[in-house]
Amino acid sequence: PGPRTRSGLQVGSTYASVKAVLGADSDPVDAGYGQTGLFVNQGSSWIGFLFDATPAAIQNSTKVTFIEVTRGRMPDLMRDGC
C-alpha cells in the first residue's frame, strides 16, 4: 500500500480506472521512451499518471507505474532509468 489520490488512484491502478476518474476529456499524451501520460489539473496544481505503453498501444488493463504531483507546471513524467 502507498499514497492514493482522494479518488483512490495509485501506482498499480489501471488505465481504465484512471480514465473513469479523470473523464472522457483526458487524452493520453506521449511521455517519451514509449510511455503514456494522463494529466489532471486544478488551478496550478497538477497530477500526472505514467503508463508503460505508447498512446497507440495502451489498453484498459495497463497499470500506472509512476505518479508525479506538481504546482505551477505540468508534470513531465519522463523517466529513463538512468
Side-chain angles (χ1 to χ4, degrees):
R4 298 174 188 252
T5 67
R6 280 185 269 184
S7 300
L9 299 175
Q10 63 182 355
V11 169
S13 293
T14 65
Y15 178 74
S17 64
V18 175
K19 284 286 286 184
V21 170
L22 300 188
D25 292 337
S26 60
D27 292 323
V29 175
D30 181 8
Y33 298 104
Q35 300 172 20
T36 295
L38 281 179
F39 302 91
V40 63
N41 74 302
Q42 187 172 41
S44 65
S45 298
W46 289 83
I47 301 176
F49 300 89
L50 184 68
F51 301 87
D52 281 339
T54 65
I58 199 159
Q59 299 179 5
N60 284 334
S61 60
T62 305
K63 295 187 178 195
V64 173
T65 58
F66 182 78
I67 299 172
E68 184 175 357
V69 179
T70 59
R71 176 166 283 175
R73 64 173 177 78
M74 185 173 154
D76 59 21
L77 294 181
M78 189 172 291
R79 299 294 177 261
D80 65 7
C82 293

